[in-house]
Amino acid sequence: MPAHVPPTTADTTTAGADTTTADPLARERAHLTSSRAALRTMREEVEALDIGDVTANWVNKQALEARTELRIKELADLAHTPLFFGRLDYDDGDHRDHAFYIGRRHVHDSVGDPMVVDWRAPVSQPFYRASRADPQGVALRRRFGYTGGDLTAYEDEQLAAGPDPYAPTSDGPRASKLLQEEIERPRVGPMRDIVATIQPEQDEIVRSGLSGTVCVQGGPGTGKTAVGLHRVAFLLYAHRERLARTGTLVIGPNRSFLRYIEQVLPALGELEVKQATVDDLVAHVEVRGADRAAAAVVKGDARMAEVLRRAVRSHVTPPAEPVVVVRGSRRWRIPAYELQQIVDELLARDIRYGAAREALPQRIAHAVLVRMEQSGEAPDDRVQDAVARNPAVKAAVKAIWPPVDPAKLVLRLLSDPDFLAAHADGLLTADEQRGVLWEKPARSVRSAKWSAADAVLIDEVTDLVQRTHSLGHVVLDEAQDLSPMQYRAVGRRCSTGSATVLGDLAQGTTPWATASWPEALAHLGKPDAVVEELTDGFRVPRDVIAYASRLLPHMSPGLTPVSAVRESPGSLAVHPVDGDDADDAAVVSACRTALRQEGSIGLIAADARVPAIAAALAAAGLPHLAPGTETTAEARLTLVPASLAKGLEYDHVVLDDPASIVAGEPDERTGLRRLYVALTRAVSGMTILHHQPLPAQLG
């Protein structure tokens, strides 16, 4: 049975620090202390297990030991992470007159009664979904506020008839005071989870089923990344055994981003979700080169998939001679025309090249067995296998259907104009073909200076030869920046599973950025995916997001601007600076001012400006971190090239010269999108410095 706590009658109240036993806050603190003690007992019980004599063999023992170690880690009490963050008091249904504490993991007492309920459990769902219009049996919803790991406040919401204190106004959505305080809490360290602040529209996405793919279009600060990560945690809770077999994967745009988010899932009790970039997935060769933008766009185009398919199938050679199999005193002859029929049948099935190559000797052997049976013999499967291994059959297979090395095929395609022209005819123009050919053809796979786009092509060929292993669920973040060929590479990893696709079309900053989600989902192999849009912003202050949204009509017309929950007056300051040298000094001064406040500081600048700014910071004695490095109380300033700012967030942002950021991109539209990303990284405040005129689109 759940722990019973008499419902309170407080309404939208933040309590003080009264510690008397009659004070609800004191009772909640006592429950927190008891829950932590119960969690510690649960962990100690697992640590005390003697598993030495309960397994039949050493393999089972190792598996059980690994599972036990994982369970011990799952039961860790994270000192600065609240064990529970909410409470539900029911007055209707099966849970009438009971209270449930909602937290990050299940905790029970010595007799098995729950003291904290996992946020993913069905009984916890009303914490996110219940409203005045639909209370779902809940009389009171209580949110808790924490400082560090200490419970310091609570806020109650009576879900009875009456006005809703958090109903949206004409100025936009509103949030509870504790929710706003949680959002505004200074950020020191990696990205934290937002499980305590998940909103109803976010929760619907988080709890959507495993079988379907969901695409989340969300502007800056709408929580799409956190929603995606929480969906993984929920699916692992709801479908533990299935996903344990099939696997899960989180794909991010770069290593800095993955380091930034890596602590979210462990904080939710999930320790075994792998993380990777798209480059990691296709790492068949060492990437040592880079393409010009035009070449990368063509290599990333979906038309390349058909070029590669043609190139692979071109290795199949029509049989010129019969196959003669000698067994004992008998000779069995399969004429060339019959071999061609077998080859045509395999080609018509359009199965993978390697699978067809493995089937070919068995098909030839079967034709031999038919002749044996016609002559009165009674061969069995062992005879067919022996015939398939016959030297004459092996030689025919090698000549007709030779093995294909994916890297060598792509090397030839990018080095041999005639070979490329033969397979790109009608697909790529002559200019496009010339654009993707290497200026200096490599002599071998090892010496080639492969680009990231080349590696994706090799991955495509690898799948044409042999099927790629599919996972049960894949989360793809910052998806708007993928090329069609990269979408295909990711889609292969979830061809029999599902995906959560996260992105913002307005933040697409690659030359091949996604034009529309239906088009991207078709390349992913999930054309029936549901597209959800998040428009309520919980991170970026209203003044800042309104300023950044001035760019939307010029780069992504049709997208809905984000409606900010937080007002934060005075959060935006724009200062002109005279002269380049003065700009460096102004940047240093702005950073010093920002460092007087709590939290993390992000100094974002055009990539070309970063060396000069780094030198100015060093000369001024201001140490700074690289993107993705965990900030601490002593080191809070991060120098961020604009190209790496996507997905990151800082309490205060100092933005250097917006015009330089726009000019650093190959075209104005991409430059404006890069600037939009940089303008939306702040949680509390932003200072913009410019020695050039601001882009006209900012007004």
Side-chain angles (χ1 to χ4, degrees), residues 17 39 95-96 101 116 143 230 234 284 291 318 331 333 370 396 460-461 466 468 486 491 570 592 613 619 633 692:
L39 179 62
H95 308 305
R96 185 182 182 90
Y101 287 83
V116 180
R143 303 180 192 274
H230 284 69
F234 174 77
H284 305 288
D291 288 312
R331 294 163 59 89
R333 183 176 181 274
V370 169
E460 180 82 22
V461 176
Q466 201 72 39
T468 303
Q486 287 176 317
R592 288 191 188 280
I613 292 177
Q692 300 183 69

Side-chain angles (χ1 to χ4, degrees), residues 1-3 38 42 45 106-117:
M1 293 291 293
M42 291 170 63
E45 288 174 350
H106 174 85
V107 179
H108 60 253
D109 60 18
S110 58
V111 296
D113 289 341
M115 301 186 71
V116 180
V117 178

Side-chain angles (χ1 to χ4, degrees), residues 457-529:
L457 299 182
I458 294 172
D459 189 71
E460 180 82 22
V461 176
T462 301
D463 185 72
L464 288 169
V465 174
Q466 201 72 39
R467 181 183 296 276
T468 303
H469 173 67
S470 176
L471 300 168
H473 193 78
V474 169
V475 173
L476 175 61
D477 205 353
E478 300 295 348
Q480 73 279 346
D481 277 333
L482 268 61
S483 70
M485 292 299 287
Q486 287 176 317
Y487 275 114
R488 290 175 61 87
V490 174
R492 289 191 280 276
R493 272 73 185 181
C494 56
S495 59
T496 59
S498 57
T500 301
V501 181
L502 312 167
D504 179 12
L505 297 179
Q507 297 185 59
T509 52
T510 56
W512 49 83
T514 299
S516 73
W517 289 123
E519 178 183 334
L521 293 167
H523 294 312
L524 188 70
K526 308 291 183 183
D528 297 329

